[in-house]
Amino acid sequence: FSNPHFIGNRSVITHLMEWKYDDIGDECERFLGPYGYGGVQVSPVNEHAIMDGRPWYERYQPVSYDIHTRSGDEQQFRRMVQRCNKAGVRIYVDIVLNHMTDGQSGLGTNGHHYDGVAMQYPGVPFGPNDFHGHETRPTNDLEIHNYSNRIEARNCRLVGLRDLKQQSEYVKQKQVDFLNHLIDIGVAGFRSDASTHQWPDDLRSIYSRLHNLNNEFFTENSHPFIYHETIYYGGNGINSNEYTSLGRIIEFRFYKEITNVFRNNNQLRWLRNFGTEWGLVPSGDALVMIDSHDLRVGHTGQLGFNINCFEARLLKAATAFMLAWNYGIPRVMSSYFWDQIIRDGKDVNDWVGPPTDQHGNILSVHPNPDMTCNHEWICEHRWREIYNMVKFKLIAGQEPVNNWWDNGDNQIAFSRGNRAFIAINLQKNGNDHDKNLQKRLQTGLPPGIYCDIISGNLINNRCMGKSIQVDKNGLSDIYVGHDEFDAFVAYHIGARV
Ligand code: ARE
């Protein structure tokens, strides 16, 4: 369950949060395929509660396992999966198996009624016996209070959400049917939501009944790729390594350490041995990110510490490191615009859902000629600095990190074998001269003239941005001014004049 089934050397996933399936299909064909992305994570696809104001998080309150949300119905979902697979781009679905809705009642996105107090979900159907109650000896109010307590975390309610009893054969079978339905349609795998709140053995038992991937798109005997949301920063919380035998885990320590470094709370030079030596799980067990649908608004992290699209220069630099370093499977967050208003360290608009028209239909994405999107959609995955680093990673392949250099502080550079080279400058101390990265460095690259793919593309054999000349020994003058638009430069053998 830890192979993402990317095509060729593709190696990066992007989460197109809340996008409509028709738009994702278009995006696979016109952009993601051609620019070398390996896959898309789509927001939960099954019927969910319709909540007042339509917050984005209503998608995390399931009502049934019918494929029907504002992103599209089952037919549209099927068409997207077909189109993306044909474009060489895999689809991973965010699955919410831990729970159903909170204690409200109302309608779901496919018209099913639900009642969270009575725990009735006729769309599945699930009833009160399918949920954890007092017999499993959880807390008095059935809520999770102590996230480090295994039993409480698994058998109690996460923020009031009705907690499914996955020990029940009936519940398991309904979930297996749902996942197999998605597999048969042609998805490549799943993001498992709130994994720490589910018993590893229950997940194992569910996964053991999954079909092989659809062999219209995948080789025989392929298993779905499954990555688990286990928020573990060390200490006595539930250790994410309880889940590594089930697939991959989202390694939250990656974003936390990288963010800490890029915010200058730790020197860049220490990144030299970043990975398992820092306590992270082995690379093959990890999926990594800088930003996510939660972190962006300060959920599961701390606003002001997390880096989101409102700090573009920092986000691009941290993402570049993630894509240049050879660790885990990287996921690039792609968000929509919301009016961030911070009061007392909290974003009061952290709930705001995707852009819609006056009838509540999600707006379409219309790319501009300069590759950006209509202003409602941030489309980080289309920023030149980011899509070109996706290409960098594709070209670097499995080449090792070589030619590490640092200034003993916050300037670093390294190559990936003799295929690609990056230099990052976040130096804040010293005079202007010290703050600029200006150094003759070993790039590892064969001699020639290379375009900096961060400041511009190679078009008609000319660099639109900066360039360097690499001599016959692989040396070149590298320059990253401290006040430049981007804090890094990157070169690879695919952008040689
Ligand atoms: C919303 C409201 C709540 C309300 C609830 C029910 O915000 O106030 O009680 O509805 O009415 C998302 C949103 C939630 C939202 C929920 C349901 O983020 O705000 O609740 O949808 O609509 C823990 C879990 C982790 C979980 C986070 C949010 O361990 O699994 O909490 N993350 C996933 C998703 C979320 C999603 C859900 C789970 C639910 O990524 O998007 O919630 O499906 C420490 C602990 C962590 C803990 C973290 C919380 O770090 O170690 O375990 O994460 O704090 O910050």
Side-chain angles (χ1 to χ4, degrees):
F1 301 118
S2 53
N3 175 355
H5 305 290
F6 290 136
I7 290 174
N9 275 341
R10 292 168 191 265
S11 53
V12 181
I13 294 175
T14 181
H15 176 199
L16 301 181
M17 179 180 188
E18 294 269 8
W19 280 43
K20 292 190 288 190
Y21 305 139
D22 290 347
D23 287 347
I24 297 177
D26 288 343
E27 190 69 351
C28 283
E29 290 170 357
R30 76 187 159 204
F31 185 80
L32 300 173
Y35 283 82
Y37 279 89
V40 179
Q41 178 183 311
V42 299
S43 295
V45 300
N46 57 293
E47 177 174 21
H48 59 79
I50 297 177
M51 296 176 66
D52 287 347
R54 311 299 312 256
W56 61 268
Y57 58 67
E58 65 177 26
R59 287 180 90 133
Y60 292 88
Q61 300 205 17
V63 165
S64 82
Y65 297 128
D66 296 350
I67 302 177
H68 198 117
T69 65
R70 285 194 294 178
S71 288
D73 59 17
E74 179 165 337
Q75 211 192 337
Q76 289 165 315
F77 179 76
R78 279 178 185 274
R79 212 164 40 226
M80 167 193 76
V81 170
Q82 292 267 343
R83 294 172 69 192
C84 289
N85 274 320
K86 286 201 178 109
V89 182
R90 301 311 198 183
I91 298 291
Y92 311 98
V93 173
D94 195 350
I95 51 167
V96 186
L97 302 184
N98 176 60
H99 52 260
M100 299 298 277
T101 66
D102 65 8
Q104 302 195 27
S105 58
L107 279 184
T109 48
N110 199 25
H112 284 112
H113 191 261
Y114 72 91
D115 182 341
V117 171
M119 290 182 275
Q120 290 291 353
Y121 297 87
V124 182
F126 281 147
N129 292 333
D130 301 317
F131 294 85
H132 283 130
H134 287 287
E135 75 294 345
T136 44
R137 273 195 252 221
T139 53
N140 287 335
D141 60 357
L142 299 177
E143 277 291 310
I144 301 173
H145 297 287
N146 177 1
Y147 282 85
S148 303
N149 179 305
R150 287 184 164 56
I151 301 179
E152 205 171 310
R154 274 81 177 245
N155 291 356
C156 295
R157 292 174 179 167
L158 170 63
V159 295
L161 302 162
R162 281 16 190 185
D163 199 57
L164 282 164
K165 200 200 289 172
Q166 285 172 310
Q167 294 74 50
S168 139
E169 269 310 301
Y170 176 78
V171 171
K172 277 197 184 97
Q173 196 52 49
K174 287 291 172 193
Q175 302 194 329
V176 167
D177 292 346
F178 170 47
L179 302 186
N180 278 336
H181 185 52
L182 294 170
I183 288 172
D184 294 346
I185 288 174
V187 306
F190 310 108
R191 166 193 182 263
S192 155
D193 181 72
S195 311
T196 2
H197 303 287
Q198 303 168 67
W199 291 102
D201 282 343
D202 288 334
L203 293 176
R204 197 181 319 280
S205 155
I206 289 171
Y207 299 168
S208 72
R209 304 175 208 186
L210 295 182
H211 294 169
N212 289 336
L213 297 182
N214 184 328
N215 58 26
E216 185 184 341
F217 311 112
F218 302 90
T219 51
E220 300 282 331
N221 291 318
S222 297
H223 300 300
F225 174 51
I226 309 180
Y227 49 106
H228 298 82
E229 189 213 13
T230 54
I231 306 175
Y232 180 63
Y233 297 116
N236 62 357
I238 295 179
N239 198 315
S240 48
N241 66 22
E242 288 187 27
Y243 294 82
T244 45
S245 67
L246 293 164
R248 291 194 186 228
I249 58 112
I250 303 176
E251 178 50 282
F252 274 70
R253 286 170 288 193
F254 186 98
Y255 106 79
K256 202 173 178 200
E257 297 288 5
I258 293 302
T259 301
N260 200 41
V261 169
F262 280 71
R263 285 200 180 284
N264 285 97
N265 301 322
N266 190 5
Q267 292 163 303
L268 261 81
R269 66 162 163 148
W270 300 118
L271 290 175
R272 176 177 207 136
N273 66 351
F274 186 59
T276 48
E277 289 184 46
W278 288 46
L280 276 59
V281 297
S283 173
D285 291 334
L287 182 131
V288 295
M289 65 196 172
I290 301 299
D291 190 23
S292 77
H293 74 281
D294 285 324
L295 292 173
R296 143 198 93 96
V297 289
H299 292 198
T300 71
Q302 194 192 337
L303 209 65
F305 175 76
N306 303 339
I307 301 172
N308 65 15
C309 59
F310 295 116
E311 291 180 279
R313 189 173 191 268
L314 215 45
L315 179 67
K316 288 181 285 183
T319 302
F321 179 82
M322 171 175 80
L323 295 172
W325 200 242
N326 197 12
Y327 179 89
I329 290 178
R331 183 183 62 191
V332 170
M333 175 64 200
S334 188
S335 26
Y336 54 80
F337 182 80
W338 80 103
D339 211 1
Q340 185 185 48
I341 298 177
I342 300 177
R343 257 178 232 139
D344 301 327
K346 190 180 171 318
D347 178 358
V348 297
N349 279 337
D350 65 351
W351 59 272
V352 171
T356 60
D357 65 17
Q358 70 268 37
H359 308 295
N361 302 309
I362 297 179
L363 292 187
S364 290
V365 179
H366 298 293
N368 300 314
D370 70 355
M371 308 289 278
T372 61
C373 297
N374 39 330
H375 71 272
E376 294 91 350
W377 299 95
I378 311 280
C379 287
E380 292 92 323
H381 71 288
R382 277 176 163 266
W383 294 358
R384 183 184 60 241
E385 296 87 338
I386 292 182
Y387 73 70
N388 272 340
M389 285 306 298
V390 170
K391 185 77 177 291
F392 178 110
K393 183 167 175 61
L394 192 140
I395 288 187
Q398 290 309 310
E399 292 295 314
V401 170
N402 291 148
N403 299 308
W404 176 276
W405 169 86
D406 63 64
N407 71 337
D409 202 1
N410 287 307
Q411 300 177 346
I412 60 170
F414 58 90
S415 80
R416 294 292 303 281
N418 55 5
R419 304 175 69 85
F421 176 83
I422 184 170
I424 306 176
N425 178 14
L426 286 175
Q427 191 67 36
K428 293 273 169 17
N429 315 323
N431 55 34
D432 277 3
H433 178 75
D434 293 339
K435 285 194 281 186
N436 293 336
L437 190 171
Q438 185 161 20
K439 190 92 191 156
R440 191 153 179 86
L441 292 176
Q442 177 54 254
T443 64
L445 297 171
I449 294 172
Y450 294 83
C451 302
D452 165 34
I453 55 170
I454 303 311
S455 51
N457 283 310
L458 167 67
I459 296 174
N460 296 331
N461 219 32
R462 278 187 50 214
C463 298
M464 296 294 119
K466 301 193 281 183
S467 60
I468 51 168
Q469 174 129 32
V470 173
D471 74 11
K472 61 180 188 327
N473 300 316
L475 293 168
S476 182
D477 293 323
I478 301 299
Y479 181 78
V480 190
H482 73 277
D483 52 1
E484 283 191 66
F485 187 69
D486 284 306
F488 60 108
V489 292
Y491 306 94
H492 61 64
I493 55 170
R496 187 169 151 190
V497 180

